[in-house]
Amino acid sequence: MERSDVVVIGGGIAGLLAAIWSAERGRSVRLLTYGQGALTVAGGVVDLYGYTPEGLEVTQPLKAMEKLSAPHPYALIGREKVEAAVRAFLELTKAAGYPYTGDGNTNLQIPTAIGTFKPSGLAPLSLDGSALLEAEHILVVGFKLLKDFFPELIANGCRKYFGPDKTVGERLVELDFEQGQGFRDVSALDVARELEKEGQLERVALQLKSSIRPKTALIFPPVLGEKPSYSVWNNLKTALDCDIVETSSMPPSVTGLRLDRLLYDYARRVGVEIVEKAHVTDAVVKDGICLSVRTQNYGRTLSYGATHFILATGGVFGGGLKAGMGYLKESVFNLELDVPPDQALWSYPHLFEGKAQPFAAYGVKVNAKLQPVDAQGEVLLHNVRVAGRSLGGYDFCFEKSGNGVALASAYCASQSL
């Protein structure tokens, strides 16, 4: 049996951060990951807390968190540890050479692919929409053949958002794709890879120069480089002498892939052993202590023992929670979740009700140390911590808090071992 100080189950943002921060505390860490986490869906931004339960937009997320009550993860973790998690994340991205902006005190405004703005706590520098607020002229730049990005739609959204205060236009540019790619739609990832090739960035700048006026800011799809680096973004800003902002986008998101790559590379740098394609099937537990977990890897059954375990397997869509007729269970330790036996009560009749859906808040019940507990608050697994979407008590989609809870719970879990 393989043994380590800490075994982290799950390779999404919560699992990666928990593994990194555990390793930085001098622990030997093994990360068991089966598939890709939801980073490409979240677009690489960290939504801390965007909307209240009443649907009101939050401008000061850390302050607004103080009004939340248990079992919301933020209420259990506490503002002080959430702030510490934010600082640790900013330090991590800076050390990795791809620093994020934001501080948790005031939400950023991130431009979207439909010309609106969404509140987010932390984001890559290239997604910070403040440059658009300061500009007098906005130009939305699209690429011929690029699917799922519509400059006219974004421009119309910006005109509606800003009104007569700014002029808004759109422009299509063309890349010299290698043979074959001109005969199909290309993705944002295709464009991002092309822009890292010699001569392509200069080609884009040449097509745009005549459209740049003083106090102009450009809106680009998230294509300014595949790697977690600002070199493409900085070089294009220098060439055009204006501000450039990337939008969030439909998945798969290049900005999400950048953060995914950054975290995997950083985890390896600090000594995390990453075991891929490791489907964790169950655990060996004795007297409330997890002794090991079992995996199916390439047709083999393997066991991994540890002193501590961090569960970050996600929700229903990530496979961390298993739903059946009238029940919901956590998939590794087979923990039963407290849900109504009548599944008609799990949701409201309409998906967009303007309030949190009951099913979205279902998850593992934990204490302030993020240990799983029963209905009476008794600890079920003393050496297990739960992080990320496996936690109950919050609707990450409605309140825009998914990656925020992930990083806060990952930090809290790693520091409590």
Side-chain angles (χ1 to χ4, degrees):
M1 179 191 296
E2 302 279 353
R3 285 200 63 85
S4 56
D5 294 332
V6 182
V7 163
V8 179
I9 309 167
I13 184 172
L16 286 164
L17 287 172
I20 289 168
W21 287 327
S22 295
E24 288 185 330
R25 299 189 71 209
R27 312 277 189 173
S28 61
V29 180
R30 182 173 284 113
L31 175 67
L32 307 179
T33 175
Y34 183 61
Q36 191 171 35
L39 275 172
T40 58
V41 177
V45 299
V46 177
D47 295 338
L48 289 172
Y49 187 35
Y51 294 91
T52 68
E54 297 76 32
L56 300 176
E57 184 173 334
V58 172
T59 57
Q60 298 175 294
L62 287 172
K63 183 177 180 181
M65 287 175 197
E66 296 176 349
K67 296 181 180 179
L68 297 171
S69 57
H72 198 292
Y74 282 148
L76 294 172
I77 294 168
R79 173 173 174 165
E80 184 177 338
K81 287 182 180 177
V82 176
E83 285 185 280
V86 168
R87 290 194 299 270
F89 180 80
L90 292 173
E91 290 168 3
L92 187 161
T93 56
K94 182 178 180 180
Y98 189 64
Y100 270 48
T101 186
D103 60 8
N105 291 307
T106 304
N107 268 329
L108 305 168
Q109 292 296 316
I110 308 298
T112 73
I114 60 173
T116 59
F117 289 79
K118 58 166 283 188
S120 190
L122 310 170
L125 301 177
S126 59
L127 269 73
D128 181 4
S130 61
L132 302 176
L133 303 178
E134 299 167 3
E136 292 183 3
H137 312 288
I138 295 175
L139 183 67
V140 184
V141 179
F143 288 80
K144 293 182 179 178
L145 304 178
L146 176 61
K147 62 180 181 180
D148 298 330
F149 188 83
F150 308 99
E152 185 177 355
L153 175 65
I154 297 173
N156 287 336
C158 286
R159 292 185 187 105
K160 183 177 179 180
Y161 183 86
F162 290 113
D165 295 336
K166 304 178 191 295
T167 62
V168 182
E170 63 263 9
R171 176 78 187 275
L172 278 178
V173 296
E174 189 170 6
L175 289 176
D176 183 18
F177 283 104
E178 294 179 1
Q179 59 187 18
Q181 288 202 307
F183 300 97
R184 66 170 176 83
D185 287 341
V186 299
S187 69
L189 186 58
D190 290 324
V191 177
R193 288 170 174 166
E194 287 296 318
L195 290 178
E196 290 181 337
K197 295 179 180 179
E198 184 176 356
Q200 291 284 41
L201 202 62
E202 290 77 7
R203 185 172 288 107
V204 170
L206 186 62
Q207 295 175 69
L208 290 173
K209 271 188 177 295
S210 61
S211 301
I212 306 300
R213 292 185 282 172
K215 297 184 178 181
T216 293
L218 306 183
I219 295 179
F220 263 71
V223 296
L224 299 181
E226 176 191 6
K227 303 180 183 67
S229 164
Y230 292 117
S231 60
V232 173
W233 180 60
N234 282 326
N235 289 340
L236 190 57
K237 287 200 301 178
T238 299
L240 295 174
D241 191 26
C242 69
D243 288 314
I244 299 173
V245 181
E246 291 182 292
T247 67
S248 60
S249 71
M250 297 289 288
S253 166
V254 174
T255 50
L257 290 170
R258 288 177 200 157
L259 181 58
D260 187 68
R261 180 169 178 175
L262 179 153
L263 293 177
Y264 268 98
D265 289 346
Y266 200 92
R268 293 186 176 97
R269 185 196 307 180
V270 297
V272 175
E273 179 187 344
I274 300 175
V275 183
E276 298 181 332
K277 299 298 180 184
H279 180 209
V280 180
T281 57
D282 60 350
V284 178
V285 177
K286 184 177 180 181
D287 297 328
I289 300 294
C290 180
L291 303 178
S292 64
V293 295
R294 285 189 286 250
T295 69
Q296 287 289 332
N297 309 60
Y298 301 105
R300 299 183 301 162
T301 299
L302 299 175
S303 293
Y304 296 91
T307 305
H308 304 281
F309 295 82
I310 298 177
L311 182 71
T313 47
V316 172
F317 296 115
L321 304 178
K322 297 184 297 184
M325 290 302 296
Y327 75 86
L328 193 61
K329 292 185 178 181
E330 181 276 321
S331 62
V332 174
F333 297 98
N334 208 31
L335 300 172
E336 293 191 13
L337 308 186
D338 184 19
V339 299
D342 182 358
Q343 282 185 289
L345 302 176
W346 288 23
S347 64
Y348 299 118
H350 303 289
L351 181 60
F352 302 105
E353 285 275 355
K355 55 185 176 181
Q357 287 280 2
F359 69 83
Y362 296 158
V364 179
K365 182 179 175 63
V366 296
N367 60 18
K369 292 182 179 180
L370 303 184
Q371 296 166 302
V373 298
D374 62 18
Q376 290 72 43
E378 295 295 323
V379 176
L380 298 171
L381 298 164
H382 293 273
N383 64 334
V384 174
R385 304 293 188 273
V386 184
R389 184 62 197 96
S390 300
L391 293 166
Y394 73 113
D395 183 340
F396 77 95
C397 185
F398 181 81
E399 66 188 35
K400 297 292 183 288
S401 63
N403 280 351
V405 168
L407 78 88
S409 57
Y411 181 83
C412 183
S414 66
Q415 304 303 298
S416 66
L417 303 181

